[in-house]
Amino acid sequence: MNTASTGGGGREPRWLTEDEQRVWRAYLHATTLLEDHLDRQLQRDAGMPHIYYGLLVQLSQAPRRRKRMTELAIDAKITRSRLSHAIARLEKNGWVRREDCPSDKRGQNAVLTDDGFKILERSAPGHVEAVRQAMFDRLTPEQVGKLGEIMKIMAEGLQPQDSGADLPWLR
Amino acid sequence: MNTASTGGGGREPRWLTEDEQRVWRAYLHATTLLEDHLDRQLQRDAGMPHIYYGLLVQLSQAPRRRKRMTELAIDAKITRSRLSHAIARLEKNGWVRREDCPSDKRGQNAVLTDDGFKILERSAPGHVEAVRQAMFDRLTPEQVGKLGEIMKIMAEGLQPQDSGADLPWLR
DNA sequence: GACTCATTCTTGAAAGTTGAACTATGTGGG
DNA sequence: CCCACATAGTTCAACTTTCAAGAATGAGTC
């Protein structure tokens, strides 16, 4: 980390300009509202929060509809701990089951069940519609393009850098 | 709501195109990483999650550094319940205190304490720096402008619409 | 004033998240 | 084989969020 100055020990901070503040607030505003909106939509229509839905989607797209826990955690950008809890809950719903990894006795695969797949089929249309209404229906193609570029750049800058300690790399 | 079709009863859903999917994934990816990053940064440097920090900021900018609970909840885009818990926690830290609203006996003001203000002064530089590094340092001025427009549009479309039931308008 | 309904805020329990500690297995060297 | 250390996943406790009540005050109507 080169954020030694982050603690407040540095010189005059580079405050945001008026314009930047406006953009930042708009960003926070929009992202919060959208996340809340999707969480509610999916909680209502699929009985789970957005992140859990995302896990099922990942599994549905994986070969044989299964994935190693760690891999799933990385792809979904969550900690293994969080994933453990999440899979436990989804397992209770009968939408996922665990299976021992044949090649590594430490490992577990999360497997999407048929019930899980059905839930996905059933709720996917409503979810896509919600995403469309919130984003793609409201933006011009040009804006969508720009948004894609911008988000890609931001994501790159935040990629779980190197490491240093135990396993902060995993987030 | 005109989302009658959301439940899955409608006709063929308007799936996302390949490009749209890419943008959507990039959006989710970037926003998740950034939120996590800021949450950690603030938890580490200020001892509270991002949203709590936002509450202190709001208070610091309000006249006399105080605000009615409901108003604060709306501005911060959270439920009053969540705010109640949050303020309780911040109060325990000594960064905020409650005071009865003089004009409405039902009301409460959340007041930023001197300690709260100090925490803010102390952690603001690091926080701005984190935001800069994640967003403004990586985007061109043109991109920042576009991002602002885009986020504004999205936020407008998600504004706590009307209502219907109890108080879902408040989110 | 009494009724009714709206508004403000809090509370409690259930659900979800976090970070650290823990178990078990894999890996590379002596 | 034995050791030290890395990896995979889970678990626990503390914390945060959500949802559904609930207590109190305000406002409008008769």
Side-chain angles (χ1 to χ4, degrees):
Chain A
M1 282 236 186
N2 58 359
T3 329
S5 67
T6 299
R11 45 222 86 274
E12 184 59 17
R14 301 180 293 149
W15 299 114
L16 299 187
T17 66
E18 279 294 316
D19 280 353
E20 287 170 335
Q21 285 185 47
R22 258 192 293 280
V23 172
W24 179 239
R25 277 194 299 265
Y27 172 87
L28 286 181
H29 191 164
T31 52
T32 320
L33 288 176
L34 180 47
E35 187 171 298
D36 284 4
H37 182 62
L38 293 183
D39 258 341
R40 280 152 203 296
Q41 186 265 315
L42 282 170
Q43 191 70 60
R44 176 165 49 79
D45 297 346
M48 65 190 125
H50 188 197
I51 185 99
Y52 287 28
Y53 180 88
L55 295 175
L56 297 193
V57 170
Q58 297 258 9
L59 289 179
S60 76
Q61 294 171 342
R64 306 189 55 223
R65 291 185 189 162
R66 69 198 62 205
K67 220 168 200 179
R68 280 290 290 273
M69 292 293 278
T70 294
E71 196 185 346
L72 185 50
I74 291 173
D75 293 350
K77 279 95 186 144
I78 62 179
T79 56
R80 286 185 300 219
S81 170
R82 189 174 176 184
L83 179 63
S84 253
H85 291 298
I87 294 295
R89 195 272 219 186
L90 292 171
E91 204 169 20
K92 218 179 281 179
N93 283 288
W95 297 335
V96 167
R97 64 187 167 75
R98 288 178 221 242
E99 116 191 324
D100 291 343
C101 174
S103 56
D104 186 336
K105 283 184 188 167
R106 296 168 303 177
Q108 293 269 283
N109 281 322
V111 187
L112 186 65
T113 64
D114 289 347
D115 278 1
F117 192 75
K118 276 179 208 149
I119 287 283
L120 222 40
E121 281 186 320
R122 188 133 47 76
S123 43
H127 180 59
V128 181
E129 189 57 29
V131 171
R132 267 205 178 293
Q133 287 181 7
M135 178 176 287
F136 298 103
D137 284 356
R138 307 184 55 86
L139 300 177
T140 66
E142 195 230 334
Q143 286 174 322
V144 171
K146 294 285 185 197
L147 180 61
E149 289 170 28
I150 292 168
M151 290 296 136
K152 190 151 163 283
I153 292 173
M154 285 178 46
E156 279 163 6
L158 292 161
Q159 217 59 237
Q161 304 289 353
D162 51 295
S163 112
D166 197 13
L167 56 156
W169 62 273
L170 220 189
R171 308 210 63 215
Chain B
M1 286 238 184
N2 58 358
T3 331
S5 66
T6 299
R11 45 222 87 275
E12 183 60 18
R14 301 180 293 147
W15 299 112
L16 300 186
T17 65
E18 278 294 315
D19 280 353
E20 286 170 336
Q21 284 184 49
R22 258 191 293 280
V23 173
W24 179 237
R25 277 195 298 264
Y27 172 88
L28 287 181
H29 192 165
T31 52
T32 321
L33 288 178
L34 180 47
E35 188 172 298
D36 283 4
H37 182 63
L38 294 183
D39 258 341
R40 280 155 202 295
Q41 186 264 316
L42 283 170
Q43 190 71 58
R44 176 166 50 78
D45 296 346
M48 66 190 125
H50 189 198
I51 184 103
Y52 288 27
Y53 180 87
L55 295 175
L56 297 191
V57 170
Q58 296 259 8
L59 289 179
S60 76
Q61 294 171 342
R64 307 190 53 223
R65 291 184 189 162
R66 67 200 62 206
K67 220 168 198 178
R68 279 291 290 273
M69 292 292 279
T70 294
E71 196 185 344
L72 185 50
I74 292 173
D75 293 350
K77 279 96 187 143
I78 63 178
T79 57
R80 283 185 300 215
S81 171
R82 189 175 175 183
L83 180 62
S84 253
H85 290 298
I87 293 295
R89 195 272 220 188
L90 292 171
E91 205 169 19
K92 218 178 281 180
N93 283 288
W95 298 335
V96 167
R97 63 186 167 77
R98 288 180 222 242
E99 113 191 328
D100 291 343
C101 173
S103 56
D104 186 336
K105 283 183 190 170
R106 295 168 304 178
Q108 293 270 281
N109 281 322
V111 187
L112 185 66
T113 64
D114 289 347
D115 277 2
F117 193 75
K118 276 178 209 152
I119 287 283
L120 222 40
E121 281 187 318
R122 189 133 46 77
S123 43
H127 179 59
V128 181
E129 189 56 28
V131 171
R132 267 206 180 292
Q133 287 181 8
M135 179 175 287
F136 298 104
D137 283 356
R138 307 185 54 86
L139 301 177
T140 67
E142 195 230 333
Q143 286 175 322
V144 171
K146 294 286 183 197
L147 179 60
E149 289 171 27
I150 292 168
M151 290 297 136
K152 189 151 164 282
I153 292 173
M154 284 178 46
E156 279 163 5
L158 291 161
Q159 217 58 239
Q161 304 289 351
D162 51 297
S163 110
D166 196 13
L167 55 155
W169 62 271
L170 220 189
R171 311 208 63 215

